[in-house]
Amino acid sequence: MNKLRHVAIIMDGNGRWAQKQNKERTFGHYQGVENVRNIAIKANQLKIEVLTLYAFSTENWKRPLIEVNYLMKLPEVFFDRFLKELMDNDIKIDMIGEWKGIPEDTANVLKKAIAKTANNKGLTLVFAMNYGGKQEILQAVNSCINDPELNTVITEDIFNDHLDSGKYPDVDLMIRTSGEYRISNFLLWKLAYAEFAFVNEAWPEFTPEKFETVISDFDDRDRRFGGIK
Ligand code: IPE
Ligand code: IPE
Ligand code: MG
């Protein structure tokens, strides 16, 4: 059995899924929020330590303002509906990405959820919000350069500790929904030795059962990390 500590998901396909049903793209995002709850509860039951969900990329600002605004409201929708349940399930919330740029209301909602769940001991549910993998690496480079204590050669561990996602283990399994085969600037450093799973279902139709199937497939992977088995 492979050790599974950190799962990361690119929750993709909301818009196309809605449009296929002749609905607005935002309907897909709304249904996607419901699925965040479903998958988080399942991940917690499966004793996964960290689940990182790609919620908004640094590139998503290119979308029409009306969609960007809708996406920025989703943390409020999510925590209004589910914060109590997350507490009951001992789930802890965190965020990676640039706070700068996120509307104040959205940032406050996230910060409140992070503070409220800070002592929970179950799954850590990390939202990658205004997140870009390149930007995360650059921010770590700059924070190394500006660290007065760091007048030494920068090792992998030191660099890792300067990343936003530094406190979390490397990603073991990265899942992308909606049949797209790319990383889209997600967690570039932490994905170095991740196993990848690309599924055709759009995010709103990626059920907890399907999630479990992907995880049991991961169990059968032969992870060699460059060695020989
Ligand atoms: C994922 O669904 C949600 C975000 C990127 C915020 P999309 O909105 O990318 O949906 P598609 O890929 O256009 O169908
Ligand atoms: C990646 O999905 C970002 C999130 C899921 C938040 P996109 O839909 O933005 O990615 P591309 O544009 O297909 O690469
Ligand atoms: Mg997409």
Side-chain angles (χ1 to χ4, degrees), residues 11-16 25 29 55 60 63 67 71:
M11 309 183 286
D12 198 15
N14 295 351
R16 281 166 288 157
R25 291 176 56 81
H29 297 316
N60 288 145
R63 297 189 180 198
E67 181 162 341
L71 290 168

Side-chain angles (χ1 to χ4, degrees), residues 139-156:
Q139 170 269 313
V141 168
N142 284 307
S143 111
C144 286
I145 292 172
N146 295 322
D147 188 339
E149 317 244 296
L150 256 191
N151 46 11
T152 165
V153 172
I154 294 169
T155 62
E156 263 186 43

Side-chain angles (χ1 to χ4, degrees), residues 3-53:
K3 224 165 150 187
L4 184 54
R5 298 184 62 195
H6 188 173
V7 176
I9 305 183
I10 302 180
M11 309 183 286
D12 198 15
N14 295 351
R16 281 166 288 157
W17 176 80
Q19 282 168 322
K20 243 200 237 160
Q21 306 167 62
N22 291 318
K23 299 211 163 102
E24 298 286 332
R25 291 176 56 81
T26 47
F27 174 73
H29 297 316
Y30 188 81
Q31 291 300 310
V33 165
E34 174 114 15
N35 206 34
V36 168
R37 176 255 174 222
N38 296 342
I39 298 294
I41 300 280
K42 175 55 83 181
N44 191 44
Q45 283 166 359
L46 294 172
K47 303 275 177 253
I48 291 165
E49 282 173 47
V50 183
L51 175 66
T52 302
L53 300 178

Side-chain angles (χ1 to χ4, degrees), residues 22 25 27 45 52-53 57-58 66 89-90 100 105 110 117 121-122 125 136 146 150 161 181 191 193 226:
N22 291 318
R25 291 176 56 81
F27 174 73
Q45 283 166 359
T52 302
L53 300 178
S57 77
T58 44
I66 191 157
N89 283 277
D90 215 15
K100 200 166 157 269
D105 288 359
L110 277 161
T117 60
K121 299 279 179 281
L125 176 61
E136 184 189 27
N146 295 322
L150 256 191
D161 289 347
Y181 300 89
L191 289 176
Y193 250 109

